[in-house]
Amino acid sequence: MTGEPVTGEARSTGTADPAGERLRRWRLVLGGDTADGTGHALSGQDAAMDGALTALYGKDDTARAGRERTGGLGASAPSVARWLGDIRTYFPSSVVQVMQRDAIDRLGLGTLLLEPEMLEAVEPDVHLVGTLLSLVKAMPETTRETARAVVRTVVEDLERRLATRTRAALAGALDRGARVRRPRHQDIDWNRTVAANLRHYLPDHGTVVPERLVGHGRASRSVEKEVVLCVDQSGSMAASVVYASVFGAVLASMRSVSTRLVVFDTEVVDLTERLDDPVDVLFGTRLGGGTDINRALAYCQSRITRPAETVVVLISDLYEGGIRDEMLKRVAAIKASGAQFVSLLALSDEGAPAYDREHAASLAALGAPAFACTPDLFPEVMAAAIEKRPLPIPDAGDGPDSRP
């Protein structure tokens, strides 16, 4: 981490001395304690950047050896606000987000985010949204609106990035599913019909014999598929809750897909009515608490009316606090009814968190392999589930090997 800034916005000072530049970089990496061995002094912006790093990560040998670190931010909101401004000056946005997460985790700064001035100083990202949602019950009213503005900034950015691809992938899957195999003459899709019958080409006659006709899918105003997102809102799933809320809103905007969003810990909450605004969805969640997957799946199962046209997506680390055997029976029953069942250990860019491997293996044995899914992969996963074809599960090296 401490080596990243020297390759960010705060780059080389332009010195013509390569050896001196190497010493400068090593000095920033090592932190300047008595053992760094560089003998290099920092000044100007380098010194200010080093101070920002030291305030967070400390500079003693015990911290570097893996024992508890000490930082220099203290509990003063003004000093933290200044520090947040400093790191945004010296480091690129990606590094700022990492340092903010470390400050919250290492120095217990979560409670300071209850102050509007602090929220206005931070760099919004998915992890910050997760932290705010975990603090929402303790927020004073003066902070809540500022927090909503921060959350909305992140959500709108995610929607811009993910919505177009998601709608395109699912619309394509729905369109392919609607192809007519015995069309009337005016409904024949000649391009696809020719492509489907190329093996029946008669070179002597210069023509294709169309043994199989492919027709255009009729535009439908009715719901073609039903999607149930069942999302674990325990504390470790914060980023997944954020992404699931955004995807739920995108799916809900598609006329041919009926979307239900259910979040759970030991209680089950149906947030479907809020899907027109993912920020409202997120402020309706309650991060933390226990986990009762069986109870959540029972609720979702009770809402399935067209199993053959339904996709159930469970997003959970699978640490079941309810009845394990009943949970597995519930999954088996949902699949046996004809519904598609997808189990995601996480919906985030970070890969799989800690998860219950025994439960993942049991789901795989039922034909429902559990795997971590990035937001970029999610549209492809949903398209595959809708078309009832094999899911694009990442390679074993990229996630847990829980395939059947």
Side-chain angles (χ1 to χ4, degrees), residues 43 108 123 134 144 146 210 246 363 370 391:
S43 60
E123 185 82 19
S134 68
R144 194 176 295 265
T146 306
V246 172
L363 287 176
L391 302 178

Side-chain angles (χ1 to χ4, degrees), residues 363-388:
L363 287 176
L366 293 173
F371 58 97
C373 178
T374 64
D376 287 340
L377 181 63
F378 186 74
E380 297 176 34
V381 170
M382 291 303 301
I386 284 173
E387 294 184 80
K388 300 183 179 180

Side-chain angles (χ1 to χ4, degrees), residues 65-227:
R67 294 183 286 275
E68 184 177 356
R69 293 172 181 254
T70 58
L73 293 179
S76 165
S79 67
V80 175
R82 284 194 298 272
W83 179 80
L84 287 167
D86 287 345
I87 64 174
R88 294 173 76 173
T89 299
Y90 303 133
F91 303 103
S93 177
S94 59
V95 176
V96 169
Q97 291 173 5
V98 172
M99 293 180 74
Q100 285 180 171
R101 294 202 298 270
D102 284 349
I104 291 168
D105 294 340
R106 293 168 179 267
L107 305 179
L109 298 184
T111 54
L112 288 178
L113 294 177
L114 302 180
E115 302 183 22
E117 296 79 6
M118 284 287 296
L119 284 177
E120 292 168 358
V122 295
E123 185 82 19
D125 73 336
V126 170
H127 297 279
L128 177 62
V129 170
T131 300
L132 292 178
L133 295 178
S134 68
L135 297 171
V136 69
K137 286 191 172 180
M139 282 184 184
E141 199 58 40
T142 54
T143 304
R144 194 176 295 265
E145 286 307 309
T146 306
R148 288 184 70 90
V150 171
V151 172
R152 188 168 297 282
T153 296
V154 174
V155 165
E156 289 177 350
D157 178 67
L158 292 177
E159 283 189 299
R160 282 192 295 270
R161 179 160 65 88
L162 301 172
T164 300
R165 182 177 177 183
T166 301
R167 292 191 184 102
L170 270 66
L174 292 165
D175 183 54
R176 286 187 291 273
R179 296 277 172 213
V180 179
R181 298 303 181 186
R182 302 178 68 177
R184 292 178 297 182
H185 185 270
Q186 64 266 31
D187 292 333
I188 295 174
D189 185 334
W190 286 109
N191 288 335
R192 286 183 169 83
T193 294
V194 170
N197 290 277
L198 286 176
R199 62 178 177 171
H200 305 304
Y201 177 68
L202 301 178
D204 292 342
H205 297 82
T207 188
V208 171
V209 177
E211 290 190 2
R212 181 166 66 87
L213 300 177
V214 180
H216 292 288
R218 292 181 175 277
S220 173
R221 294 184 179 275
S222 62
V223 171
E224 296 179 28
K225 293 291 180 179
E226 298 184 6
V227 175

